[in-house]
Amino acid sequence: YFNKLNQIADRIVLPHMSYRDFIPTIFRDKIIYIPNGVDFQLFRRNIVQNRQIKHEIIYVGAIDTWFDFELVSQLALKLSNNKILLIGPVNVLVEHQLNQLLKNINVDYHTAVNHDELPQFLMNSIVGIIPFKSTPLTNSVLPNKMFEYASCGIPSVLTNFNLSLSE
């Protein structure tokens, strides 16, 4: 199905060159790059001077097999006076790991929220994290959450899951 779709496509749009490896060589001449973006107005309009920090550390996104539970658990233990909030849908394959992580009293979980609600959570945080394991999938992703974090004025701390991100 994937190859058939690539075959009939006039163009293949990718947000970053690291996704290129997923496209079979015979179709790579169809690739165009359009970088990830963020609705800056949505995220900036909610920024206020007097933030009310509720969670110092935040992660927004899918909680799946690529999420580094061990790393976040270590973070929770080392920064036990800091609150960590995880927001997003959870793959049933990792529910047990999430439940284990939530045994740390400084780790909270919130189900996925509407995109329009994200700025409210982000503006009340100090740093956004992207704790991904290095996998064939994450080796080629450019998470939009980096741009969303930045749009809310919070820095991103991420693992070295995609070597192309160093550029």
Side-chain angles (χ1 to χ4, degrees):
Y1 178 77
F2 182 70
N3 284 337
K4 181 131 179 110
L5 187 59
N6 283 318
Q7 185 178 13
I8 63 172
D10 293 327
R11 294 281 182 257
I12 300 169
V13 179
L14 302 177
H16 190 263
M17 67 181 181
S18 62
Y19 288 81
R20 186 174 188 264
D21 293 340
F22 280 102
I23 305 301
T25 307
I26 61 171
F27 303 119
R28 290 186 182 165
D29 61 330
K30 297 181 177 187
I31 294 174
I32 60 172
Y33 296 102
I34 300 177
N36 278 349
V38 67
D39 182 349
F40 192 69
Q41 293 304 317
L42 169 68
F43 285 85
R44 292 302 288 182
R45 75 171 172 242
N46 289 306
I47 301 266
V48 293
Q49 292 294 5
N50 299 318
R51 292 182 174 187
Q52 295 179 359
I53 302 303
K54 295 178 182 172
H55 292 88
E56 290 87 354
I57 303 165
I58 192 167
Y59 168 80
V60 176
I63 300 172
D64 211 311
T65 56
W66 57 79
F67 189 90
D68 195 334
F69 290 95
E70 179 60 31
L71 179 64
V72 177
S73 181
Q74 291 174 20
L75 182 66
L77 290 173
K78 291 211 185 265
L79 300 175
S80 59
N81 292 328
N82 298 91
K83 294 230 180 250
I84 300 171
L85 176 62
L86 310 175
I87 299 175
V90 180
N91 183 327
V92 294
L93 297 174
V94 298
E95 281 180 349
H96 177 71
Q97 290 173 279
L98 176 61
N99 289 333
Q100 290 298 113
L101 182 59
L102 292 174
K103 289 181 179 178
N104 292 286
I105 61 170
N106 60 328
V107 179
D108 293 326
Y109 169 72
H110 193 293
T111 58
V113 298
N114 289 329
H115 195 254
D116 291 351
E117 298 174 52
L118 284 180
Q120 298 166 352
F121 288 94
L122 294 176
M123 68 179 265
N124 292 317
S125 303
I126 295 173
V127 63
I129 60 171
I130 306 174
F132 289 173
K133 296 176 186 174
S134 181
T135 70
L137 174 66
T138 62
N139 288 339
S140 65
V141 298
L142 177 65
N144 209 49
K145 63 182 91 317
M146 290 185 335
F147 305 104
E148 294 168 343
Y149 293 167
S151 291
C152 279
I154 64 171
S156 296
V157 175
L158 51 145
T159 55
N160 195 19
F161 59 86
N162 179 344
L163 298 178
S164 297
L165 294 180
S166 63
E167 59 184 55

